[in-house]
Amino acid sequence: MAEIQQVTELFQKLTTGASTEERAGPAAQVAALVKSKGAAVIAKAGIADAIKAGLEDAASANAREGACQAFTAIMETVGVLAEPYVLDLLPLLLERLSDKVAPVRAAADAATTALISRLCAYSVDAVLPVLFDGMALARNWQTKVGALNALRSLAKTAPKPLAKALPEIVPKLTEAFADAKLEVKNAAQATTMECFLQNGNRDIEKFVPQLVSCIAKPAETTDCIHALAATTFVQQVEAPPLSIIVPLLVRGLRERTTAIKRKSCVIIDNMAKLVEVPWDAAPFLPKLIPELEKVKEEVADPECRKVAANAYATLMRVGGEGKATAPKPTESAFAAKELEAFFPKAKSALDATTYDFVCARVAKMIDCKHFEEADWQGVLVPFLGASEAEAAKKAGELASKCQEDVIRAAIAAEQDNEEGEDLCNCEFSLAYGAKILLNNARLRLKRGKRYGLCGPNGAGKSTLMRAIANGQVEGFPPPTELKTIYVEHDIDGSVADLVPAEFIFTDPTFAGIPKETITKQLKDVGFTDELLAKAVGALSGGWKMKLALARAMLQNADILLLDEPTNHLDVHNVAWLQNYLISLVNVTSIIVSHDSSFLDTVCTNILHYENRKLRTYRGNLSEFVKQKPEARSYYELSASPISFKFPEPGFLEGVKTKDKAILKMLRVGFKYPKAEKNTLSDVSIYITLSSRVAVLGANGAGKSTMIKLLTGELECCEGTVWKHPNLRIAYVAQHAFHHIEQHLEKTANQYVQWRYAIGEDREALNKVDRVITDEEAKKMAQQILIEGEKRVVEKILGRRKLKSSYEYEIQWVGKGPDKNCWMPRDDLIQMGFEKMVIEVDAKEAAQAGLMAKPLTSLNIQKHLEDFGLEPEFSTHSLMRGLSGGQKVKVVLGAAMWNNPHILVLDEPTNYLDRDSLGALAEAIKAYGGGVVMITHNREFYQALTQETWMVADGKLTPTGQSAAASKEAVKFEVQEETTDAYGNVIKVKAPQKTKMSNKEKKALAKLREARRARGEEVTDDEEDM
């Protein structure tokens, strides 16, 4: 064969050429032969064998250099077309990089560069084993450097295929950092940087330089963990980013500092939650699981052990417990079939070696799920491009067809074939701060459907609604295509003084809408002339919600976003809202509500948060529960999988049975300053430790006003409000967030510490019954005749027991401590010092509640855990980042820190998810104190009590059986454990009971008779109060 003879002669010249320049001519002639006859001649004419023989010729440096020159010339002239025939020569080229003869080393380096720079991107898997062998410990340092540089070049020319191979690459690069030769270390660091940057995860790109530095300097592990912990992960986590992060996390888990171990566990937990494909995580389980097991078993800090256990469970779940295996790679035969459909002449036009090479690369692109048109054109056009434009077009069509096949197979099982007009069909990710809420979730909405958005507190329901409203959801139609309205019932303080019609009219959104139309719409939702004349800031919570709904109706929305629309609405208004939403046949609604009855009536579909995805179920809530029985807590409060635990009230002096009144209102009336008539009149009720009372009534009837009178937030205009001097009350307001709105930059733990740092509840200091008015101050400044001289009270220092009541130590203005004296409680109240007396009583009561509860971070953390707030949210997260439900738990837990005797809840069901609602109900049942609650959630209050106080027309009407009818004895825990700031467990004993003498019993009986004679209510079991 003529080509063989020609090749033999050319390689003879390459071998005998005296200089590099002399050998350049024959090398170019070899390349020209390949170009003219086609790449297949490399095998047919023995060119590859001749190059191999030259590279292996240990006796002739000229032969080795000539072979390298021929290789370089072929690659530079023919390019990737030669790859199927010369790729096997790469190991010999790497070996020649450490040749003893400098020109040979230079020629080998040029040949290696020529091959790697022109390599097909999807040949990375074929090249990597050769490069890893070149980086082996036994190799010469020049070979190691050459292999590392080749790998760095691949990171630039084939970034996506290389990223897929990072799990194999990272261990080899890490080993190279330990090489004794500085040149190898430097090459390893530069190559690692380039490779890590191709990991494909945008969230950690900025973190890569620090990570590479940490590999070289292990002492930086701690700083590196801190930096990674501050990184917000949103993008799906696949094997490449895991491969570069896992070595650092293993180091972090082995650190001696507990805080670093804990942060490493948190990072593992957060990243694992973003892993979609089990086999992405499975290879890393053998490295992480043993270390997590050590932390969760051996670390002294129980909270750290719990975080490690959570990370362990998450990692095992997403990794398929180590049993997950990657799908079988695409066979070349399948790729050949796909190729034939678009390039029917390919098999006959190419020799077998090239055809097999092309089919293997097509199979690799399918496995990598890389369907970009440019990638497929880059692989196919050089080999199949007789007509380059036509080949490029067909390559793009083949890529699209393969992509469609993969997508169709992936979503076939979840395809929603529900009929109707699509308003939205998008895929997106969503995060809040550093927390991932949704990852590559699909949202598909149909016109006229009503979707109930369900998920636990903190899942991100409200965040998703706001993101949609603010245009932050990728792929969601913009406002120019789809009008989406977020129904919000919070009123901006700057416009709170406007009447409802003006409030809407002055909003630029409603420019052009006549005021008459606005007024008509407000009347359509139930606003009376009296309410239309009332400032929006003075409206009750229910009417603010109806105002928000009226605003939404005026905007003719395509999609209504309703976040807890039934909050603050009474039964009649909830029914009205149900009917209104059902009547909107062309409007789609997304509704977040924890009112199961409302969702059951309104919803046509349920959108459910599942593993950071949104899954759509057809039907209402009850149909959803049938399809997903584990979600029964959405329908039945008793099925809640979580539990709350309230602290026991503690000792209350003189209260031996639970039927004894400890808080009373007697013929109370109240009128707001500018109101024409009383909001409440002639209200008389009492509360005991066994009370379980539901306060019912229409919006604006005065329920919250009555509660505020009861708790001291307001002061009555008529009648009296009496409470036991040692009584502690926990109050959670209707708009619960007002308790914490000034403290959002604190953690929940820090907020509780601030609130009780002075020895009592700071919030109690601002109550009306503690604030002294100018008129009261003037009265208290009057002189009092004591021991023959006139004196003025400076302050009350303390109190002590005086028979059935108390007496108080008085300090006088301008007098020394030796002139202090004691005065009975009743005398001080008659003289106008009631608020000063109440202040002393409150301090004494607070000290009694707090003395067994050191205000330590650990104690508070345990306390908040009893209210369903994990340490991650109570101690390690600012309240600004908490969900509405989590904030309610903070407020509830903070209010009950001082072991209150009575819990007063104004709309407690707002923002709490179904699981938390069920837990709250069970905790109230088990609670040893009294509970008064305003709620429109019938399911909630009927599960707790039959006693109701109906507020209507300014009157309060008690109905139902009072739990106080039982004369159950009060039982205090004999012993309670608490933890001090040093972690020591302290046992606190309840007050010792003392037996009364006969003389004391007679005096008590006489006192009871006197109190009855004065018209006071006294039970038979009362002893000394």
Side-chain angles (χ1 to χ4, degrees):
M1 188 177 178
E3 289 88 355
I4 296 176
Q5 181 62 34
Q6 188 178 356
V7 167
T8 302
E9 293 174 359
L10 289 172
F11 271 88
Q12 183 66 29
K13 294 179 181 179
L14 281 168
T15 304
T16 58
S19 67
T20 301
E21 291 74 17
E22 287 184 25
R23 288 188 291 272
Q29 291 176 355
V30 172
L33 175 65
V34 173
K35 185 174 182 180
S36 64
K37 298 295 183 180
V41 78
I42 295 174
K44 292 176 182 177
I47 295 175
D49 292 337
I51 294 174
K52 181 180 179 184
L55 290 171
E56 292 177 337
D57 190 343
S60 172
N62 289 346
R64 298 195 298 274
E65 185 181 357
C68 291
Q69 285 180 282
F71 188 99
T72 303
I74 291 171
M75 289 306 303
E76 289 177 348
T77 303
V78 182
V80 71
L81 295 176
E83 183 185 329
Y85 307 96
V86 301
L87 191 58
D88 290 342
L89 298 173
L90 180 59
L92 292 173
L93 291 175
L94 292 176
E95 190 174 336
R96 296 279 68 83
L97 289 172
S98 56
D99 200 282
K100 293 180 180 180
V101 180
V104 175
R105 292 199 299 271
D109 184 57
T112 304
T113 302
L115 172 64
I116 296 299
S117 63
R118 293 167 177 82
L119 198 74
C120 174
Y122 290 89
S123 294
V124 167
D125 278 1
V127 171
L128 283 178
V130 179
L131 298 182
F132 292 159
D133 183 64
M135 294 157 56
L137 185 64
R139 296 291 179 185
N140 292 324
W141 72 267
Q142 295 95 333
T143 298
K144 293 178 186 177
V145 171
L148 287 165
N149 289 339
L151 187 57
R152 181 169 51 168
S153 180
L154 283 176
K156 297 175 181 178
T157 59
K160 289 187 289 185
L162 182 128
K164 287 286 184 182
L166 275 174
E168 305 161 46
I169 294 172
V170 171
K172 301 296 182 181
L173 288 175
T174 305
E175 290 174 9
F177 273 77
D179 199 276
K181 201 71 175 176
L182 181 61
E183 289 85 348
V184 177
K185 287 183 178 180
N186 291 339
Q189 189 157 347
T191 302
T192 302
M193 178 73 74
E194 202 64 50
C195 290
F196 280 17
L197 286 171
Q198 313 310 323
N199 74 86
N201 192 298
R202 296 184 304 274
D203 299 330
I204 59 175
E205 279 183 4
K206 63 184 179 184
F207 173 69
V208 165
Q210 194 169 359
L211 178 59
V212 175
S213 175
C214 179
I215 296 174
K217 303 171 184 175
E220 296 178 0
T221 297
T222 298
D223 293 337
C224 224
I225 290 289
H226 284 304
L228 185 60
T231 303
T232 300
F233 295 98
V234 178
Q235 193 175 340
Q236 177 180 337
V237 173
E238 298 176 329
L242 281 174
S243 67
I244 69 174
I245 293 297
V246 164
L248 172 66
L249 295 175
V250 170
R251 285 189 190 177
L253 292 171
R254 292 173 179 171
E255 281 285 315
R256 297 181 65 181
T257 309
T258 300
I260 297 300
K261 290 179 186 287
R262 184 190 178 280
K263 279 197 172 184
S264 300
C265 293
V266 170
I267 294 167
I268 292 170
D269 194 35
N270 288 338
M271 290 192 73
K273 288 171 182 174
L274 292 175
V275 175
E276 293 292 321
V277 184
W279 53 83
D280 277 340
F284 305 102
L285 263 59
K287 298 177 182 178
L288 290 174
I289 290 300
E291 301 299 331
L292 283 172
E293 285 180 329
K294 286 182 184 178
V295 176
K296 76 186 184 74
E297 303 272 342
E298 299 175 6
V299 171
D301 182 3
E303 202 271 324
C304 181
R305 293 200 303 270
K306 184 176 179 181
V307 172
N310 290 340
Y312 177 89
T314 303
L315 193 59
M316 289 294 284
R317 176 176 57 79
V318 301
E321 298 186 353
K323 300 174 184 177
T325 55
K328 293 181 180 178
T330 302
E331 295 182 358
S332 289
F334 175 82
K337 185 178 178 182
E338 294 286 322
L339 190 65
E340 189 177 348
F342 290 86
F343 296 92
K345 298 180 181 179
K347 191 169 185 178
S348 59
L350 301 174
D351 68 280
T353 301
T354 301
Y355 185 72
D356 291 344
F357 177 89
V358 172
C359 290
R361 298 317 179 257
V362 169
K364 187 63 183 176
M365 287 191 287
I366 294 173
D367 287 341
C368 291
K369 294 183 173 57
H370 293 166
F371 300 107
E372 287 79 0
E373 194 173 284
D375 291 341
W376 286 65
Q377 290 170 347
V379 171
L380 298 177
V381 170
F383 295 96
L384 304 170
S387 170
E388 189 170 324
E390 183 65 21
K393 180 182 176 184
K394 288 183 177 180
E397 292 172 352
L398 175 58
S400 298
K401 195 264 181 185
C402 292
Q403 183 178 25
E404 289 170 5
D405 290 345
V406 170
I407 293 173
R408 192 179 298 112
I411 67 174
E414 299 182 10
Q415 183 63 42
D416 181 7
N417 296 316
E418 188 174 10
E419 295 182 358
E421 177 191 350
D422 269 347
L423 292 184
C424 163
N425 190 359
C426 60
E427 187 174 301
F428 62 97
S429 296
L430 183 69
Y432 186 90
K435 185 177 181 183
I436 306 306
L437 303 174
L438 291 169
N439 182 45
N440 293 341
R442 180 162 294 279
L443 177 63
R444 190 175 188 183
L445 303 175
K446 299 282 185 178
R447 184 173 290 280
K449 298 294 182 181
R450 297 176 296 280
Y451 296 88
L453 186 58
C454 294
N457 284 146
K461 302 183 292 295
S462 297
T463 303
L464 173 59
M465 304 266 268
R466 289 188 179 277
I468 292 174
N470 296 334
Q472 296 169 330
V473 172
E474 185 179 355
F476 196 91
T480 53
E481 298 176 17
L482 200 67
K483 197 149 194 180
T484 304
I485 305 300
Y486 184 80
V487 179
E488 194 170 18
H489 57 278
D490 287 336
I491 303 296
D492 185 351
S494 64
V495 293
D497 293 332
L498 298 178
V499 297
E502 285 292 333
F503 171 70
I504 297 175
F505 186 71
T506 55
D507 189 334
T509 306
F510 302 93
I513 299 179
K515 190 177 291 187
E516 294 75 18
T517 304
I518 294 173
T519 302
K520 181 180 182 302
Q521 185 64 72
L522 287 167
K523 288 185 175 181
D524 286 345
V525 301
F527 274 79
T528 62
D529 290 338
E530 181 182 353
L531 287 167
L532 286 171
K534 201 171 187 179
V536 293
L539 295 175
S540 69
W543 284 108
K544 285 177 183 176
M545 173 54 77
K546 296 190 82 173
L547 174 61
L549 289 168
R551 284 166 49 87
M553 293 176 206
L554 286 165
Q555 295 180 70
N556 299 317
D558 293 302
I559 297 178
L560 282 178
L561 306 174
L562 300 138
D563 193 357
E564 299 290 359
T566 61
N567 280 3
H568 317 301
L569 292 185
D570 57 33
V571 176
H572 301 295
N573 283 320
V574 169
W576 171 86
L577 179 59
Q578 290 172 348
N579 294 332
Y580 173 73
L581 292 176
I582 292 170
S583 71
L584 300 175
V585 293
N586 290 317
V587 178
T588 297
S589 301
I590 303 179
I591 306 162
V592 173
S593 176
H594 299 123
D595 186 336
S596 58
S597 175
F598 176 75
L599 290 179
D600 219 21
T601 303
V602 170
C603 292
T604 60
N605 301 75
I606 297 295
L607 285 170
H608 191 236
Y609 277 74
E610 295 180 13
N611 297 324
R612 286 163 180 74
K613 301 288 186 186
L614 288 173
R615 186 173 175 187
T616 304
Y617 294 83
R618 296 191 197 181
N620 62 5
L621 189 64
S622 55
E623 288 299 315
F624 162 64
V625 172
K626 288 178 185 177
Q627 297 174 65
K628 196 172 181 63
E630 59 268 34
R632 277 193 314 120
S633 60
Y634 285 117
Y635 212 65
E636 302 173 15
L637 287 179
S638 59
S640 174
I642 64 175
S643 61
F644 291 175
K645 181 183 177 183
F646 290 174
E648 285 302 305
F651 181 72
L652 193 58
E653 191 173 16
V655 179
K656 295 298 181 70
T657 62
K658 290 195 172 183
D659 71 323
K660 182 175 181 179
I662 54 177
L663 180 60
K664 305 176 190 177
M665 294 177 72
L666 186 62
R667 294 184 289 277
V668 166
F670 180 80
K671 183 175 76 172
Y672 285 100
K674 295 182 181 180
E676 296 180 0
K677 62 179 182 179
N678 276 11
T679 303
L680 293 171
S681 299
D682 198 28
V683 174
S684 296
I685 50 91
Y686 71 96
I687 301 169
T688 71
L689 285 173
S690 61
S691 291
R692 298 289 185 274
V693 183
V695 184
L696 309 178
N699 292 133
K703 304 183 298 297
S704 295
T705 300
M706 190 275 293
I707 288 295
K708 289 178 179 178
L709 289 168
L710 202 61
T711 58
E713 298 284 324
L714 294 175
E715 202 166 19
C716 60
C717 303
E718 305 167 6
T720 58
V721 177
W722 174 89
K723 67 177 183 178
H724 189 292
N726 296 338
L727 183 67
R728 296 185 294 276
I729 302 175
Y731 172 54
V732 178
Q734 182 182 46
H735 301 285
F737 301 159
H738 97 271
H739 294 279
I740 59 173
E741 60 189 9
Q742 302 300 321
H743 306 278
L744 296 179
E745 299 306 321
K746 296 184 176 77
T747 66
N749 200 311
Q750 290 168 342
Y751 167 65
V752 175
Q753 291 182 50
W754 169 86
R755 186 164 165 176
Y756 292 93
I758 60 173
E760 62 174 319
D761 188 352
R762 271 194 167 106
E763 291 213 349
L765 303 180
N766 297 321
K767 291 184 178 181
V768 172
D769 64 359
R770 296 284 295 274
V771 178
I772 297 173
T773 64
D774 292 340
E775 184 179 342
E776 290 168 336
K778 185 177 179 180
K779 185 176 180 181
M780 288 189 291
Q782 294 178 357
Q783 294 181 335
I784 302 171
L785 186 63
I786 298 292
E787 297 177 355
E789 65 175 323
K790 292 182 179 180
R791 301 179 183 179
V792 176
V793 174
E794 182 174 342
K795 60 182 176 180
I796 300 179
L797 300 176
R799 74 178 190 188
R800 67 186 181 190
K801 199 80 174 67
L802 176 66
K803 296 182 180 179
S804 61
S805 183
Y806 293 99
E807 61 178 355
Y808 297 77
E809 185 180 6
I810 309 300
Q811 179 175 311
W812 306 100
V813 174
K815 303 292 182 181
D818 57 316
K819 296 293 184 179
N820 290 358
C821 64
W822 296 83
M823 297 185 68
R825 174 188 177 87
D826 292 343
D827 291 354
L828 286 170
I829 291 175
Q830 287 178 5
M831 288 187 289
F833 293 93
E834 183 176 9
K835 288 186 177 179
M836 292 181 72
V837 169
I838 289 174
E839 183 175 355
V840 173
D841 289 343
K843 288 180 179 179
E844 292 284 344
Q847 289 171 10
L850 298 174
M851 70 175 181
K853 296 181 75 170
L855 196 65
T856 63
S857 179
L858 184 58
N859 261 348
I860 295 170
Q861 181 174 292
K862 289 179 179 178
H863 174 79
L864 292 175
E865 279 188 88
D866 287 339
F867 291 83
L869 205 63
E870 297 176 1
E872 186 62 35
F873 302 110
S874 66
T875 305
H876 304 287
S877 300
L878 299 181
M879 289 193 290
R880 182 175 296 284
L882 301 184
S883 71
Q886 289 166 336
K887 287 176 181 174
V888 170
K889 293 174 185 177
V890 172
V891 173
L892 185 59
M896 298 199 73
W897 171 254
N898 65 349
N899 296 4
H901 302 99
I902 292 177
L903 173 61
V904 180
L905 302 168
D906 195 347
E907 299 283 9
T909 62
N910 293 350
Y911 301 103
L912 288 180
D913 62 22
R914 293 289 300 177
D915 289 345
S916 299
L917 206 55
L920 177 62
E922 294 303 310
I924 288 175
K925 287 179 184 178
Y927 179 48
V931 180
V932 179
M933 54 200 154
I934 297 176
T935 179
H936 297 301
N937 190 323
R938 182 176 298 180
E939 176 191 16
F940 179 72
Y941 73 75
Q942 285 186 346
L944 296 172
T945 183
Q946 296 301 313
E947 183 180 7
T948 62
W949 293 346
M950 179 60 70
V951 181
D953 301 324
K955 302 290 184 181
L956 185 150
T957 308
T959 59
Q961 175 64 40
S962 170
S966 165
K967 293 190 178 182
E968 178 186 353
V970 177
K971 295 180 181 178
F972 296 107
E973 296 294 327
V974 175
Q975 192 167 281
E976 183 181 342
E977 289 189 351
T978 188
T979 309
D980 66 13
Y982 299 99
N984 301 311
V985 176
I986 302 171
K987 294 181 179 179
V988 183
K989 295 184 178 181
Q992 296 291 322
K993 296 181 180 179
T994 56
K995 192 172 181 180
M996 296 175 66
S997 66
N998 290 334
K999 182 177 180 181
E1000 288 172 329
K1001 289 179 180 178
K1002 288 179 181 179
L1004 179 62
K1006 185 176 180 181
L1007 177 64
R1008 281 206 302 265
E1009 291 302 321
R1011 291 178 62 192
R1012 285 195 180 99
R1014 293 197 298 269
E1016 297 180 23
E1017 183 177 350
V1018 183
T1019 65
D1020 292 336
D1021 293 288
E1022 286 188 332
E1023 288 188 3
D1024 54 359
M1025 287 301 301

